[in-house]
Protein backbone atom coordinates (compact mmCIF):
# COMPACT_ATOMS: atom_id res chain seq x y z
CA UNK A 1 0.00 0.00 0.00
CA UNK A 2 1.24 3.53 -0.70
CA UNK A 3 -0.15 6.92 0.26
CA UNK A 4 0.81 10.15 -1.47
CA UNK A 5 -0.34 13.74 -0.96
CA UNK A 6 0.22 16.89 -3.00
CA UNK A 7 -1.20 20.38 -2.56
CA UNK A 8 -2.06 23.20 -4.91
CA UNK A 9 -3.16 26.43 -3.24
CA UNK A 10 -5.95 25.34 -0.87
CA UNK A 11 -6.58 22.01 -2.64
CA UNK A 12 -4.98 18.84 -1.26
CA UNK A 13 -4.81 15.76 -3.49
CA UNK A 14 -4.46 12.33 -1.90
CA UNK A 15 -3.88 9.02 -3.65
CA UNK A 16 -3.61 5.54 -2.25
CA UNK A 17 -3.06 2.06 -3.64
CA UNK A 18 -3.75 -1.12 -1.72
CA UNK A 19 -4.36 -4.82 -2.26
CA UNK A 20 -6.07 -7.51 -0.23
CA UNK A 21 -6.06 -11.27 -0.66
CA UNK A 22 -8.26 -13.96 0.86
CA UNK A 23 -8.76 -17.73 0.89
CA UNK A 24 -12.19 -19.32 1.29
CA UNK A 25 -13.16 -22.97 1.72
CA UNK A 26 -16.76 -23.96 0.95
CA UNK A 27 -17.84 -27.51 1.80
CA UNK A 28 -20.95 -27.56 -0.42
CA UNK A 29 -21.54 -24.36 -2.43
CA UNK A 30 -24.46 -25.80 -4.45
CA UNK A 31 -26.13 -27.28 -1.31
CA UNK A 32 -26.38 -30.72 -2.87
CA UNK A 33 -27.90 -33.37 -0.60
CA UNK A 34 -26.34 -36.36 -2.35
CA UNK A 35 -23.16 -35.30 -4.15
CA UNK A 36 -21.58 -32.54 -2.09
CA UNK A 37 -18.42 -31.11 -3.65
CA UNK A 38 -16.12 -28.69 -1.85
CA UNK A 39 -14.06 -25.92 -3.41
CA UNK A 40 -11.32 -23.47 -2.53
CA UNK A 41 -11.65 -19.86 -3.68
CA UNK A 42 -8.62 -17.56 -3.89
CA UNK A 43 -9.24 -13.82 -4.23
CA UNK A 44 -6.93 -10.91 -4.98
CA UNK A 45 -8.34 -7.39 -4.88
CA UNK A 46 -6.14 -4.41 -5.88
CA UNK A 47 -7.63 -0.95 -5.27
CA UNK A 48 -6.63 2.60 -6.20
CA UNK A 49 -8.25 5.69 -4.69
CA UNK A 50 -7.89 9.37 -5.48
CA UNK A 51 -9.38 12.30 -3.56
CA UNK A 52 -9.19 16.09 -3.65
CA UNK A 53 -9.94 18.06 -0.48
CA UNK A 54 -10.37 21.77 0.22
CA UNK A 55 -11.81 23.62 3.22
CA UNK A 56 -15.40 22.44 2.69
CA UNK A 57 -15.40 19.83 -0.10
CA UNK A 58 -14.01 16.39 -0.71
CA UNK A 59 -14.17 14.75 -4.14
CA UNK A 60 -13.20 11.09 -4.16
CA UNK A 61 -13.01 8.06 -6.43
CA UNK A 62 -12.02 4.42 -6.10
CA UNK A 63 -11.40 1.76 -8.73
CA UNK A 64 -10.64 -1.89 -8.13
CA UNK A 65 -10.59 -5.37 -9.62
CA UNK A 66 -11.59 -8.56 -7.80
CA UNK A 67 -9.72 -11.52 -9.27
CA UNK A 68 -11.06 -14.94 -8.20
CA UNK A 69 -9.63 -18.38 -8.91
CA UNK A 70 -11.29 -21.66 -7.87
CA UNK A 71 -10.33 -25.32 -7.67
CA UNK A 72 -13.52 -26.56 -9.36
CA UNK A 73 -14.58 -24.55 -12.41
CA UNK A 74 -17.63 -26.79 -12.98
CA UNK A 75 -19.15 -25.29 -9.82
CA UNK A 76 -17.95 -21.71 -10.16
CA UNK A 77 -15.82 -20.13 -12.86
CA UNK A 78 -12.73 -17.97 -12.49
CA UNK A 79 -13.67 -14.30 -12.46
CA UNK A 80 -12.25 -10.81 -12.93
CA UNK A 81 -14.86 -8.33 -11.66
CA UNK A 82 -14.34 -4.54 -11.68
CA UNK A 83 -15.76 -2.05 -9.20
CA UNK A 84 -15.88 1.74 -9.27
CA UNK A 85 -17.15 4.49 -6.97
CA UNK A 86 -17.32 8.28 -7.31
CA UNK A 87 -18.47 10.71 -4.65
CA UNK A 88 -18.62 14.20 -3.20
CA UNK A 89 -18.81 15.41 0.42
CA UNK A 90 -19.75 18.96 1.36
CA UNK A 91 -19.33 20.46 4.84
CA UNK A 92 -22.31 22.64 5.77
CA UNK A 93 -22.70 25.17 8.56
CA UNK A 94 -24.51 22.69 10.82
CA UNK A 95 -23.98 19.38 9.06
CA UNK A 96 -22.87 17.60 5.92
CA UNK A 97 -24.18 16.56 2.50
CA UNK A 98 -22.75 13.68 0.46
CA UNK A 99 -23.56 11.84 -2.75
CA UNK A 100 -21.98 8.58 -3.99
CA UNK A 101 -22.30 6.54 -7.18
CA UNK A 102 -21.18 2.89 -7.21
CA UNK A 103 -20.70 0.25 -9.94
CA UNK A 104 -20.02 -3.34 -8.88
CA UNK A 105 -19.92 -6.70 -10.67
CA UNK A 106 -19.87 -10.05 -8.89
CA UNK A 107 -20.97 -13.69 -9.00
CA UNK A 108 -24.76 -13.94 -8.76
CA UNK A 109 -24.49 -17.33 -7.03
CA UNK A 110 -22.38 -16.13 -4.11
CA UNK A 111 -24.09 -12.74 -3.89
CA UNK A 112 -27.56 -14.27 -3.63
CA UNK A 113 -26.44 -17.05 -1.29
CA UNK A 114 -24.94 -14.43 1.02
CA UNK A 115 -28.11 -12.32 0.88
CA UNK A 116 -30.91 -14.91 0.92
CA UNK A 117 -29.41 -18.42 1.18
CA UNK A 118 -30.73 -19.21 -2.30
CA UNK A 119 -28.46 -21.12 -4.74
CA UNK A 120 -28.80 -20.41 -8.47
CA UNK A 121 -26.65 -20.89 -11.57
CA UNK A 122 -23.22 -19.28 -11.45
CA UNK A 123 -24.10 -16.15 -13.41
CA UNK A 124 -23.14 -12.50 -13.15
CA UNK A 125 -24.79 -9.75 -11.14
CA UNK A 126 -24.12 -6.09 -11.99
CA UNK A 127 -25.17 -3.42 -9.49
CA UNK A 128 -25.39 0.31 -10.20
CA UNK A 129 -26.40 2.63 -7.37
CA UNK A 130 -26.68 6.31 -6.55
CA UNK A 131 -27.16 7.45 -2.95
CA UNK A 132 -27.27 10.76 -1.12
CA UNK A 133 -27.48 11.74 2.55
CA UNK A 134 -27.98 15.03 4.38
CA UNK A 135 -27.02 15.37 8.06
CA UNK A 136 -28.11 18.37 10.13
CA UNK A 137 -27.43 19.27 13.77
CA UNK A 138 -30.71 20.66 15.10
CA UNK A 139 -29.05 21.40 18.44
CA UNK A 140 -25.97 20.38 20.38
CA UNK A 141 -27.60 17.06 21.27
CA UNK A 142 -30.17 16.46 18.52
CA UNK A 143 -29.14 15.33 15.02
CA UNK A 144 -31.29 14.63 11.97
CA UNK A 145 -30.43 12.79 8.75
CA UNK A 146 -32.29 12.22 5.49
CA UNK A 147 -31.06 9.82 2.84
CA UNK A 148 -32.10 8.27 -0.44
CA UNK A 149 -30.87 5.44 -2.65
CA UNK A 150 -31.54 4.22 -6.18
CA UNK A 151 -30.12 0.79 -7.08
CA UNK A 152 -30.42 -1.19 -10.32
CA UNK A 153 -29.35 -4.85 -10.43
CA UNK A 154 -28.92 -6.74 -13.70
CA UNK A 155 -28.56 -10.53 -13.53
CA UNK A 156 -27.34 -12.69 -16.42
CA UNK A 157 -26.78 -16.44 -16.69
CA UNK A 158 -29.24 -17.17 -13.87
CA UNK A 159 -32.36 -19.32 -13.84
CA UNK A 160 -34.58 -18.08 -10.99
CA UNK A 161 -33.42 -14.55 -10.18
CA UNK A 162 -35.20 -11.59 -11.69
CA UNK A 163 -33.32 -10.46 -14.79
CA UNK A 164 -33.45 -6.87 -13.63
CA UNK A 165 -34.51 -5.17 -10.41
CA UNK A 166 -34.93 -1.51 -9.51
CA UNK A 167 -34.91 -0.56 -5.83
CA UNK A 168 -35.79 2.96 -4.62
CA UNK A 169 -35.53 3.84 -0.95
CA UNK A 170 -35.65 6.80 1.41
CA UNK A 171 -34.75 6.85 5.10
CA UNK A 172 -34.76 9.35 7.93
CA UNK A 173 -33.10 9.16 11.37
CA UNK A 174 -33.38 11.27 14.52
CA UNK A 175 -30.59 10.84 17.10
CA UNK A 176 -30.38 12.34 20.58
CA UNK A 177 -27.04 12.42 22.46
CA UNK A 178 -28.32 11.74 25.98
CA UNK A 179 -24.75 12.04 27.28
CA UNK A 180 -21.25 11.26 26.05
CA UNK A 181 -21.94 7.53 26.32
CA UNK A 182 -25.55 6.90 25.24
CA UNK A 183 -27.25 8.04 22.01
CA UNK A 184 -30.76 6.66 21.36
CA UNK A 185 -32.28 7.01 17.89
CA UNK A 186 -35.44 6.37 15.90
CA UNK A 187 -35.53 5.60 12.18
CA UNK A 188 -38.06 5.21 9.39
CA UNK A 189 -37.40 3.93 5.88
CA UNK A 190 -39.50 3.21 2.81
CA UNK A 191 -38.40 0.97 -0.07
CA UNK A 192 -40.09 0.35 -3.42
CA UNK A 193 -38.91 -2.84 -5.14
CA UNK A 194 -39.59 -3.49 -8.86
CA UNK A 195 -38.25 -6.79 -10.26
CA UNK A 196 -38.48 -7.72 -13.94
CA UNK A 197 -38.55 -11.46 -14.65
CA UNK A 198 -40.69 -14.61 -14.75
CA UNK A 199 -42.82 -14.80 -11.61
CA UNK A 200 -41.48 -11.52 -10.24
CA UNK A 201 -43.72 -9.47 -7.98
CA UNK A 202 -43.38 -5.75 -7.29
CA UNK A 203 -43.57 -4.75 -3.63
CA UNK A 204 -42.82 -2.05 -1.10
CA UNK A 205 -41.75 -2.09 2.52
CA UNK A 206 -41.85 0.28 5.49
CA UNK A 207 -39.39 -0.08 8.38
CA UNK A 208 -39.93 1.37 11.87
CA UNK A 209 -36.82 1.10 14.07
CA UNK A 210 -35.70 2.27 17.52
CA UNK A 211 -32.25 1.72 18.98
CA UNK A 212 -29.26 3.13 20.80
CA UNK A 213 -25.50 3.42 20.59
CA UNK A 214 -23.56 2.94 23.84
CA UNK A 215 -19.87 3.78 24.21
CA UNK A 216 -18.85 1.51 27.08
CA UNK A 217 -15.30 2.93 26.99
CA UNK A 218 -13.06 4.55 24.35
CA UNK A 219 -12.29 1.11 22.83
CA UNK A 220 -15.58 -0.77 23.25
CA UNK A 221 -18.87 0.26 21.61
CA UNK A 222 -22.25 -1.46 21.55
CA UNK A 223 -25.16 -0.64 19.27
CA UNK A 224 -28.54 -2.31 19.10
CA UNK A 225 -31.90 -1.78 17.46
CA UNK A 226 -35.28 -3.41 17.09
CA UNK A 227 -38.31 -2.74 14.95
CA UNK A 228 -40.89 -4.01 12.53
CA UNK A 229 -41.23 -4.04 8.77
CA UNK A 230 -44.45 -4.00 6.77
CA UNK A 231 -44.01 -5.68 3.36
CA UNK A 232 -46.89 -5.30 0.92
CA UNK A 233 -46.57 -8.90 -0.35
CA UNK A 234 -45.63 -10.66 2.86
CA UNK A 235 -47.20 -9.07 5.89
CA UNK A 236 -45.20 -7.96 8.92
CA UNK A 237 -41.71 -9.05 9.96
CA UNK A 238 -39.21 -8.37 12.74
CA UNK A 239 -36.02 -6.32 12.56
CA UNK A 240 -33.36 -6.99 15.20
CA UNK A 241 -29.70 -6.00 15.19
CA UNK A 242 -26.91 -6.06 17.79
CA UNK A 243 -23.30 -5.07 17.21
CA UNK A 244 -20.24 -5.03 19.49
CA UNK A 245 -16.99 -3.40 18.35
CA UNK A 246 -13.61 -3.37 20.08
CA UNK A 247 -10.72 -1.27 18.78
CA UNK A 248 -7.33 -2.01 20.29
CA UNK A 249 -3.96 -0.46 19.61
CA UNK A 250 -3.08 -2.92 16.82
CA UNK A 251 -6.21 -5.03 16.37
CA UNK A 252 -9.99 -4.77 16.08
CA UNK A 253 -12.79 -7.26 16.76
CA UNK A 254 -16.49 -7.02 15.89
CA UNK A 255 -19.52 -9.24 16.47
CA UNK A 256 -22.91 -8.82 14.79
CA UNK A 257 -26.18 -10.71 15.14
CA UNK A 258 -29.55 -9.86 13.69
CA UNK A 259 -32.77 -10.62 11.87
CA UNK A 260 -33.88 -8.84 8.72
CA UNK A 261 -36.99 -9.00 6.54
CA UNK A 262 -37.09 -7.41 3.09
CA UNK A 263 -38.28 -7.83 -0.52
CA UNK A 264 -36.30 -10.40 -2.52
CA UNK A 265 -34.98 -11.01 -6.04
CA UNK A 266 -36.37 -14.55 -5.90
CA UNK A 267 -39.96 -13.87 -4.91
CA UNK A 268 -42.18 -11.98 -2.52
CA UNK A 269 -39.97 -11.46 0.53
CA UNK A 270 -37.12 -12.95 2.53
CA UNK A 271 -36.35 -13.33 6.24
CA UNK A 272 -32.75 -13.82 7.34
CA UNK A 273 -31.14 -14.59 10.71
CA UNK A 274 -27.37 -14.12 10.76
CA UNK A 275 -24.31 -14.06 13.01
CA UNK A 276 -20.99 -12.58 11.90
CA UNK A 277 -17.58 -11.96 13.45
CA UNK A 278 -14.48 -10.18 12.20
CA UNK A 279 -10.90 -9.98 13.48
CA UNK A 280 -8.22 -7.74 12.02
CA UNK A 281 -4.60 -7.32 13.14
CA UNK A 282 -2.28 -4.51 12.01
CA UNK A 283 1.02 -6.19 11.18
CA UNK A 284 2.68 -2.92 10.14
CA UNK A 285 1.75 0.53 8.88
CA UNK A 286 1.21 -0.97 5.42
CA UNK A 287 -0.23 -4.44 5.99
CA UNK A 288 -2.77 -6.29 8.10
CA UNK A 289 -4.24 -9.79 8.41
CA UNK A 290 -7.68 -10.88 9.50
CA UNK A 291 -10.41 -13.49 9.53
CA UNK A 292 -14.19 -13.46 9.03
CA UNK A 293 -16.93 -15.78 10.23
CA UNK A 294 -20.50 -15.73 8.90
CA UNK A 295 -23.50 -18.02 9.34
CA UNK A 296 -27.10 -17.41 8.32
CA UNK A 297 -30.50 -19.05 8.20
CA UNK A 298 -32.84 -17.80 5.47
CA UNK A 299 -36.47 -18.22 4.61
CA UNK A 300 -37.85 -16.87 1.33
CA UNK A 301 -41.49 -16.75 0.25
CA UNK A 302 -41.84 -17.45 -3.48
CA UNK A 303 -45.39 -17.33 -4.82
CA UNK A 304 -46.82 -18.82 -1.60
CA UNK A 305 -44.05 -21.44 -1.33
CA UNK A 306 -41.28 -21.33 1.28
CA UNK A 307 -37.57 -21.91 0.58
CA UNK A 308 -35.37 -22.60 3.65
Amino acid sequence: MFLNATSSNALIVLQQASATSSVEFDTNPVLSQNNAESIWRYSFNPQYSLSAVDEKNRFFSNVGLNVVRTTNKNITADREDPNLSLGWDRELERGRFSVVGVYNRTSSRFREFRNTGFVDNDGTSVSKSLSAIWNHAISERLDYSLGGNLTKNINSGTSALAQETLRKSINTTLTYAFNEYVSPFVQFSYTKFNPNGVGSIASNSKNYIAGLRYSINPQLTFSGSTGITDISTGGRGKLINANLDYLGERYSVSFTAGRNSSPSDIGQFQESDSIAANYNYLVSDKSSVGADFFISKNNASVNNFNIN
Side-chain angles (χ1 to χ4, degrees):
M1 178 181 74
F2 78 83
L3 178 66
N4 185 44
T6 60
S7 62
S8 176
N9 297 326
L11 187 68
I12 299 175
V13 179
L14 302 169
Q15 57 178 331
Q16 177 178 313
S18 63
T20 59
S21 59
S22 64
V23 179
E24 299 178 25
F25 177 71
D26 197 319
T27 58
N28 187 12
V30 298
L31 298 184
S32 174
Q33 295 183 350
N34 300 318
N35 300 307
E37 293 185 72
S38 61
I39 64 167
W40 288 87
R41 300 176 75 231
Y42 307 93
S43 301
F44 180 68
N45 183 216
Q47 299 278 337
Y48 173 75
S49 62
L50 180 68
S51 60
V53 184
D54 62 20
E55 292 183 356
K56 292 188 176 182
N57 298 281
R58 183 172 74 97
F59 303 91
F60 56 92
S61 64
N62 185 84
V63 61
L65 182 68
N66 191 34
V67 181
V68 179
R69 296 293 180 264
T70 70
T71 55
N72 191 333
K73 297 174 179 56
N74 293 323
I75 296 178
T76 181
D78 294 341
R79 303 185 63 88
E80 296 86 27
D81 293 320
N83 57 82
L84 172 68
S85 63
L86 299 169
W88 169 52
D89 285 338
R90 170 75 176 181
E91 288 283 350
L92 305 175
E93 183 178 355
R94 298 179 63 88
R96 174 189 293 270
F97 174 79
S98 64
V99 58
V100 181
V102 177
Y103 172 91
N104 186 55
R105 192 176 74 184
T106 187
S107 164
S108 60
R109 165 175 287 171
F110 287 94
R111 169 188 171 272
E112 197 62 29
F113 179 72
R114 180 84 178 195
N115 291 339
T116 67
F118 184 76
V119 175
D120 194 18
N121 296 338
D122 188 28
T124 295
S125 178
V126 173
S127 174
K128 305 174 184 177
S129 68
L130 180 66
S131 59
I133 186 168
W134 172 62
N135 294 286
H136 179 69
I138 299 174
S139 66
E140 291 184 359
R141 294 181 179 270
L142 192 61
D143 290 332
Y144 175 77
S145 69
L146 177 66
N149 176 269
L150 176 66
T151 299
K152 184 177 184 179
N153 285 321
I154 301 174
N155 298 307
S156 60
T158 64
S159 60
L161 298 181
Q163 296 174 355
E164 184 177 300
T165 61
L166 183 64
R167 186 187 299 260
K168 303 175 184 178
S169 65
I170 186 171
N171 64 83
T172 181
T173 305
L174 191 65
T175 304
Y176 180 77
F178 187 78
N179 53 41
E180 60 181 314
Y181 302 106
V182 179
S183 299
F185 64 88
V186 291
Q187 184 181 79
F188 170 77
S189 63
Y190 174 82
T191 300
K192 188 173 180 61
F193 187 74
N194 291 305
N196 180 17
V198 178
S200 299
I201 301 174
S203 61
N204 59 72
S205 64
K206 301 174 184 177
N207 294 345
Y208 307 87
I209 298 172
L212 64 83
R213 178 181 173 87
Y214 177 41
S215 297
I216 302 172
N217 57 46
Q219 291 78 36
L220 189 61
T221 302
F222 169 81
S223 61
S225 63
T226 184
I228 59 173
T229 181
D230 282 321
I231 303 174
S232 61
T233 56
R236 177 170 291 186
K238 296 180 180 178
L239 300 172
I240 303 172
N241 185 72
N243 182 260
L244 188 65
D245 293 313
Y246 180 82
L247 181 62
E249 184 176 351
R250 300 191 66 87
Y251 69 93
S252 63
V253 182
S254 68
F255 299 94
T256 303
R259 164 171 287 189
N260 183 56
S261 300
S262 63
S264 169
D265 278 10
I266 62 174
Q268 298 172 358
F269 74 100
Q270 66 188 44
E271 187 175 71
S272 302
D273 296 321
S274 63
I275 299 174
N278 170 267
Y279 173 81
N280 191 72
Y281 179 77
L282 186 64
V283 179
S284 67
D285 293 339
K286 295 184 177 181
S287 61
S288 63
V289 296
D292 293 289
F293 170 82
F294 178 81
I295 184 171
S296 68
K297 179 182 178 181
N298 305 277
N299 179 63
S301 175
V302 183
N303 297 332
N304 297 321
F305 290 94
N306 288 330
I307 297 178
N308 294 294

